[in-house]
Amino acid sequence: METIAIKELAYFTCQSGNLTTEFFSNHDMLKGQKAHDYLQEKYNNKSLSEVYIKKEINYLGNNYLLHGYIDGVLNIDDEIIIEEIKSTTLDLDEITIDYHKEHLAQLKIYGYLYSLLNSIDPIRLRLTYISVIDYETKSFNIICKQDELEEFTFNLLEEYIHWLNLIDESQKNREKTIKTIEFPFKTKRQGQKELMSAVYQALNNKDILYTIAPTGIGKTMATLFSALKTLKDKDKLFYLTAKGSGKNAPLEAIKLLESNGLKIKVIDITAKRKICNNNQKHCNPDDCPFAMGYFDKLKAATLEIFEHNDVFDANIILSVSNKHKICAFEFSLYLSYFCDLVIADYNYVFDPKAHLIRYFDDDTYKPKVLVDEAHNLISRSKEMYSAIISEIDIRLLRSKLKDYKPSIRSDCNKALEVINNYREFLNDKALYCDTTQNLDLYAFLKQITIKCDQIFEENKKIPNKDEIMEVYFKIIDFLRVADSFGPTHRNLVKLINDNIYINYYCLDASSFLLETIKNSIHGIVFFSATLYPIEYHTNLLTQMEGKYLELKSPFDSNNLDIIINNKISTKYKNREDSIDMIIETIDILTSTKSGNYIVFFPSYQYLEMVSSAIEDSTYELIVQKNTMSEEERLEIINKFKNTTNCKVGLFVMGGIFSEGIDFIGDSLNGVIIVGVGLPLICDENNILKDYFEQKFNKGFDYAYTYPGITKVIQAVGRVIRTETDRGVAILIDERFGYSKYLSLMPPHWTNRKFITNIYDLKKELISFNKK
């Protein structure tokens, strides 16, 4: 017997209205619950709140169990009234009984079931809206006959059953094909079978697994295939990537499995800035036609895409959303609820301001998670739990909203006074660091947001609203981070161009990640080719919890010629002296074999120093810019696919070209790594160093050495992508000869040699290229 939640039935069939700021205000959910509680606490002794109701309904020979919680069963003068309560930030005068048709539909279904169970005909129904701002209410009272409610409910049920049948068919296809699908390759690569077994066991046992999986093992297919085999009824699989380019591999793997008979629903959630079908204008019906009537059109769009597609990628989502004139980004988030595999950025699981609430704040589903290129999650997770606010932000908000009521001027002035009190600490230092947050600032910022909520609801047309909302959400984010401020945070205050910036800086987000994993995730696998050293990554991701598997590279180590020049210093003070040697190394590399090469630098400044010194080159020079569009990035990648002429790319380590891209065959013949990839030596990183020194007695390594070597290994990893690839990696820096750095190099870097002069370098390259 199919079980149907009444709210789901009402919302799918009758959902209506626009995308508004009210829909996006997740921080108002608690306010809504408090408003509900306030109203229910005023019920008389004969009235009941949160009344669970269920009733078996027979429709066309099939039984369905409808169930849900009625907000209120009121007994007023011995008259029974069924009440549904909805909270809102809107002006109550704007709300009609059809404001959101799904609210009335939910009430009518409750009324129908209650009338059946209690033999009440007709029955009184009340739809009540309560303002979360002042707790004022507006109610709509109706009296309905049981046969009217029955016809209404059965009409909705008929429509919903069509959707349930689609879902049921999809689930049967999933269960059947996941069970029968076979690995798409006749033989498994070295290490692949071991990886597949470990992933399967970890996800089945709800464990944490770390896997160092070198390039060539086929980790994408191995992890995906094994993870899919573990999926049961409420399980949902997430494949997480750090960069958009990282989604190509799982999408290609899924398409290959589909061609072999797999039939599951898959969605690729694309960043809003990339998929927005209205040039990122503000998401409200006044500024965006795709927000107007979004919920009225959502059902038709959902049915169309679900019936005709299995893989919902960005192109398909945009095509359907443009046809139905709905927001593509919000559409993709909604569709994810009905998909078996969600391919998305780390944020959608671990960032509290972006994660998909239905998966990670309740128990509707059981998420299983694969984290690709997991080394990136350390820095990304710290960003998720950090936030910055400046006096410029407060002044802008005060200026733009000065003519609106309630006035925020006084609260802004008080916040600015608190911020400016830090100036006395910044007289003789560039940065002030505190281990505690500023509670006075929190109180004033909180008041500002409360008043802004009222202003936004009462004034639909505010000039420069995008600029205002950007600051508003910065404050909301700052308050969110303040709520989690603890021993792993620092309150950093900086004076930049005579303006004060306050950064609630997260040094270590492992406790937050582990909390999410333990509370919401039913098995997780972190995998990458560069989880060296493993204790660094396990400490900063899951506080040493989890199992660990290291796999050997399947490729012949002799195919990668590692050359170390440890006689050149690339330290900041010596960079000018290193330029000629770097250019000479490029010339030798390109003259011994015409091909495609990349030189990776630790910074744009260093890159530009070398770029400006190159004259009359015999190769095409391609230089990465500090900011690049997606089109410019793809143009460069396509240039490297062309092997008719010799090319040298000057790129930055850790950037968009150093990982997540496969340069196969002669697309890339070698790399030069300039420096050991240390992050910028600055106050923030030194604070990190002090924190890790106290916690692990490895301050410099955790703040500088380990993040740097990760970037180096990733950059070298671009050279060998298949078993037939051959190439060169030249490491330039004296520190590459230190025992510490040699110990951090991957085990398969066995074919390495120290060469410190041009004559021997040329000789070695000629010899390698002849093999």
Side-chain angles (χ1 to χ4, degrees):
M1 181 169 56
E2 188 82 49
T3 300
I4 299 175
I6 292 168
K7 184 175 181 179
E8 294 285 344
L9 169 60
Y11 274 59
F12 182 81
T13 54
C14 299
Q15 202 164 197
S16 65
N18 307 321
L19 272 179
T20 63
T21 52
E22 186 174 41
F23 172 76
F24 296 114
S25 296
N26 284 336
H27 67 284
D28 280 339
M29 291 175 67
L30 182 58
K31 292 181 184 177
Q33 186 57 54
K34 286 181 177 179
H36 266 69
D37 295 343
Y38 168 82
L39 209 55
Q40 289 170 332
E41 285 168 4
K42 297 176 70 175
Y43 285 173
N44 62 35
N45 292 335
K46 292 183 178 181
S47 299
L48 302 173
S49 63
E50 300 302 322
V51 177
Y52 182 68
I53 189 169
K54 64 178 180 178
K55 173 68 176 159
E56 192 174 315
I57 300 291
N58 184 280
Y59 181 74
L60 297 179
N62 294 312
N63 290 328
Y64 301 92
L65 182 67
L66 273 59
H67 70 107
Y69 284 90
I70 301 173
D71 286 332
V73 177
L74 310 184
N75 187 324
I76 301 174
D77 298 329
D78 293 327
E79 285 277 7
I80 296 298
I81 302 173
I82 305 301
E83 181 172 53
E84 177 65 23
I85 303 169
K86 298 297 180 185
S87 61
T88 182
T89 57
L90 291 181
D91 185 335
L92 294 178
D93 289 339
E94 298 180 23
I95 293 178
T96 65
I97 195 169
D98 291 323
Y99 159 60
H100 272 292
K101 294 175 183 177
E102 66 272 21
H103 298 166
L104 182 58
Q106 188 178 353
L107 173 61
K108 284 184 173 182
I109 301 169
Y110 285 142
Y112 172 58
L113 297 189
Y114 197 90
S115 72
L116 279 177
L117 291 168
N118 296 277
S119 301
I120 302 175
D121 188 15
I123 190 166
R124 296 176 182 273
L125 308 178
R126 175 178 293 172
L127 179 58
T128 298
Y129 288 93
I130 180 169
S131 169
V132 297
I133 297 171
D134 56 15
Y135 285 7
E136 290 293 314
T137 62
K138 182 175 184 177
S139 295
F140 300 95
N141 294 288
I142 57 175
I143 300 174
C144 295
K145 293 181 179 179
Q146 190 179 103
D147 58 354
E148 293 173 5
L149 294 175
E150 180 173 86
E151 182 180 5
F152 177 82
T153 300
F154 275 57
N155 284 339
L156 297 190
L157 200 55
E158 180 179 9
E159 189 176 351
Y160 192 64
I161 286 170
H162 172 62
W163 171 241
L164 284 182
N165 289 338
L166 290 175
I167 295 289
D168 186 55
E169 181 186 5
S170 175
Q171 288 177 339
K172 287 178 179 176
N173 286 335
R174 177 181 104 159
E175 291 170 10
K176 179 183 176 181
T177 61
I178 281 179
K179 187 176 181 180
T180 58
I181 188 73
E182 295 184 356
F183 195 67
F185 304 107
K186 290 183 179 179
T187 59
K188 295 183 177 70
R189 297 179 184 176
Q190 178 186 322
Q192 204 168 40
K193 187 174 181 180
E194 189 179 357
L195 173 60
M196 291 168 68
S197 175
V199 170
Y200 183 83
Q201 291 179 35
L203 295 184
N204 253 349
N205 298 330
K206 303 178 184 178
D207 285 338
I208 298 170
L209 174 67
Y210 288 87
T211 301
I212 297 179
T215 300
I217 283 176
K219 58 181 181 290
T220 303
M221 180 61 78
T223 53
L224 258 180
F225 183 83
S226 304
L228 288 170
K229 286 288 186 179
T230 70
L231 293 187
K232 298 178 183 66
D233 185 28
K234 287 189 174 182
D235 292 346
K236 195 175 287 277
L237 182 60
F238 285 79
Y239 190 107
L240 305 183
T241 67
K243 296 180 172 70
S245 58
K247 296 178 183 180
N248 296 332
L251 282 171
E252 289 302 314
I254 284 297
K255 288 173 182 176
L256 178 57
L257 289 172
E258 283 202 321
S259 69
N260 281 266
L262 181 68
K263 198 164 180 62
I264 63 172
K265 297 295 183 183
V266 181
I267 189 163
D268 167 19
I269 296 182
T270 305
K272 187 173 183 177
R273 60 186 171 80
K274 291 184 178 180
I275 204 172
C276 177
N277 38 4
N278 197 36
N279 299 318
Q280 296 191 77
K281 290 185 179 177
H282 193 61
C283 297
N284 66 61
D286 294 326
D287 298 321
C288 178
F290 298 95
M292 177 69 73
Y294 169 83
F295 292 105
D296 299 88
K297 298 174 280 189
L298 181 59
K299 179 174 60 181
T302 302
L303 289 169
E304 177 178 330
I305 199 170
F306 203 85
E307 289 187 67
H308 297 103
N309 302 277
D310 288 326
V311 178
F312 310 149
D313 61 21
N315 291 332
I316 290 171
I317 291 169
L318 268 173
S319 174
V320 175
S321 61
N322 284 334
K323 176 181 175 181
H324 291 270
K325 290 194 165 35
I326 60 172
C327 172
F329 178 68
E330 290 300 329
F331 184 39
S332 69
L333 298 185
Y334 178 73
L335 287 173
S336 73
Y337 295 144
F338 313 113
C339 291
D340 308 301
L341 169 62
V342 179
I343 302 171
D345 185 89
Y346 298 157
N347 287 348
Y348 294 100
V349 171
F350 294 112
D351 190 337
K353 66 176 179 291
H355 72 194
L356 298 168
I357 290 172
R358 191 168 184 174
Y359 305 122
F360 302 100
D361 281 359
D362 66 30
D363 58 0
T364 305
Y365 299 100
K366 296 178 180 178
K368 296 183 176 184
V369 180
L370 302 174
V371 184
D372 197 358
E373 303 295 0
H375 57 276
N376 287 302
L377 186 55
I378 292 175
S379 59
R380 287 286 302 280
S381 62
K382 289 190 291 187
E383 292 171 7
M384 294 172 194
Y385 287 90
S386 300
I388 298 175
I389 199 77
S390 75
E391 60 178 302
I392 296 175
D393 297 321
I394 308 301
R395 294 183 194 282
L396 185 145
L397 205 61
R398 183 182 64 182
S399 171
K400 299 295 183 184
L401 296 178
K402 66 178 185 297
D403 296 325
Y404 295 91
K405 300 294 182 183
S407 174
I408 63 169
R409 173 170 288 278
S410 175
D411 294 302
C412 286
N413 289 341
K414 290 174 183 176
L416 287 168
E417 183 179 352
V418 171
I419 292 172
N420 276 284
N421 285 339
Y422 283 109
R423 287 183 182 271
E424 63 177 289
F425 299 107
L426 295 167
N427 286 333
D428 56 350
K429 59 177 73 173
L431 179 142
Y432 170 78
C433 177
D434 195 353
T435 57
T436 60
Q437 64 168 300
N438 193 310
L439 296 178
D440 289 336
L441 181 60
Y442 182 96
F444 297 135
L445 292 178
K446 189 72 174 176
Q447 279 301 115
I448 290 170
T449 61
I450 291 170
K451 291 180 178 178
C452 281
D453 287 341
Q454 292 179 253
I455 291 171
F456 298 151
E457 291 307 327
E458 294 170 8
N459 301 274
K460 301 304 179 188
K461 292 284 187 180
I462 300 177
N464 305 305
K465 192 168 184 180
D466 281 355
E467 193 176 9
I468 293 166
M469 294 304 293
E470 184 179 345
V471 174
Y472 168 78
F473 284 120
K474 280 180 73 173
I475 296 175
I476 291 292
D477 191 37
F478 190 83
L479 292 172
R480 176 190 61 82
V481 171
D483 287 334
S484 61
F485 194 103
T488 60
H489 279 87
R490 295 293 181 269
N491 177 4
L492 306 185
V493 186
K494 268 190 172 183
L495 190 64
I496 303 173
N497 296 327
D498 202 37
N499 289 297
I500 292 178
Y501 291 76
I502 298 179
N503 181 2
Y504 282 179
Y505 182 50
C506 181
L507 308 170
D508 173 6
S510 59
S511 62
F512 304 114
L513 297 179
L514 188 59
E515 182 181 12
T516 298
I517 291 168
K518 287 194 168 184
N519 292 343
S520 306
I521 292 174
H522 295 252
I524 186 167
V525 179
F526 298 97
F527 56 100
S528 170
T530 52
L531 295 179
Y532 297 106
I534 190 63
E535 63 270 16
Y536 163 71
H537 290 88
T538 55
N539 265 327
L540 298 191
L541 290 175
T542 57
Q543 300 185 342
M544 289 298 286
E545 292 202 25
K547 299 175 181 178
Y548 158 56
L549 172 68
E550 182 173 5
L551 300 166
K552 294 180 180 179
S553 173
F555 297 152
D556 184 348
S557 60
N558 292 316
N559 286 349
L560 178 62
D561 197 17
I562 305 245
I563 299 169
I564 300 173
N565 185 341
N566 64 331
K567 295 300 181 184
I568 303 294
S569 171
T570 68
K571 293 176 181 176
Y572 188 79
K573 62 182 179 180
N574 304 122
R575 287 181 177 177
E576 197 73 46
D577 299 331
S578 70
I579 293 175
D580 287 344
M581 186 62 180
I582 293 169
I583 294 174
E584 209 168 348
T585 302
I586 296 171
D587 290 340
I588 293 295
L589 193 60
T590 54
S591 65
T592 52
K593 180 179 180 179
S594 180
N596 292 342
Y597 301 94
I598 295 175
V599 187
F600 286 106
F601 294 88
S603 69
Y604 283 101
Q605 184 186 31
Y606 202 170
L607 182 157
E608 289 165 1
M609 289 169 65
V610 173
S611 173
S612 61
I614 294 176
E615 299 176 353
D616 302 323
S617 64
T618 58
Y619 45 81
E620 180 184 355
L621 188 64
I622 302 168
V623 181
Q624 179 181 350
K625 295 187 294 187
N626 202 343
T627 56
M628 297 187 75
S629 66
E630 184 70 12
E631 291 74 20
E632 290 172 316
R633 175 182 164 278
L634 290 174
E635 183 182 348
I636 287 179
I637 292 172
N638 288 331
K639 280 188 176 184
F640 273 84
K641 291 179 181 177
N642 177 2
T643 59
T644 57
N645 67 319
C646 187
K647 289 178 284 293
V648 174
L650 305 186
F651 299 158
V652 173
M653 264 189 281
I656 55 177
F657 296 107
S658 64
E659 60 180 280
I661 300 172
D662 284 343
F663 295 107
I664 294 172
D666 285 334
S667 293
L668 186 63
N669 302 102
V671 296
I672 299 172
I673 309 297
V674 179
V676 291
L678 296 186
L680 178 69
I681 294 178
C682 61
D683 290 330
E684 287 86 347
N685 283 332
N686 283 335
I687 288 168
L688 264 181
K689 176 173 70 72
D690 294 341
Y691 169 80
F692 289 129
E693 183 65 30
Q694 185 176 11
K695 188 168 184 178
F696 301 117
N697 201 30
K698 289 186 176 182
F700 190 85
D701 286 343
Y702 271 61
Y704 291 103
T705 307
Y706 298 156
I709 196 65
T710 296
K711 289 188 282 187
V712 170
I713 297 170
Q714 277 292 318
V716 172
R718 297 311 94 202
V719 181
I720 306 295
R721 308 305 294 177
T722 72
E723 59 271 11
T724 58
D725 287 351
R726 284 173 55 81
V728 179
I730 302 174
L731 314 182
I732 300 177
D733 192 286
E734 60 186 356
R735 289 164 288 190
F736 283 124
Y738 295 176
S739 59
K740 175 182 287 185
Y741 278 94
L742 291 171
S743 70
L744 293 173
M745 292 179 184
H748 59 275
W749 284 15
T750 55
N751 188 29
R752 64 190 185 213
K753 47 195 70 78
F754 289 88
I755 297 176
T756 58
N757 64 77
I758 294 301
Y759 174 80
D760 289 337
L761 175 63
K762 185 173 184 178
K763 186 177 176 183
E764 168 62 24
L765 292 174
I766 291 172
S767 173
F768 177 79
N769 290 329
K770 284 181 179 179
K771 293 178 182 177

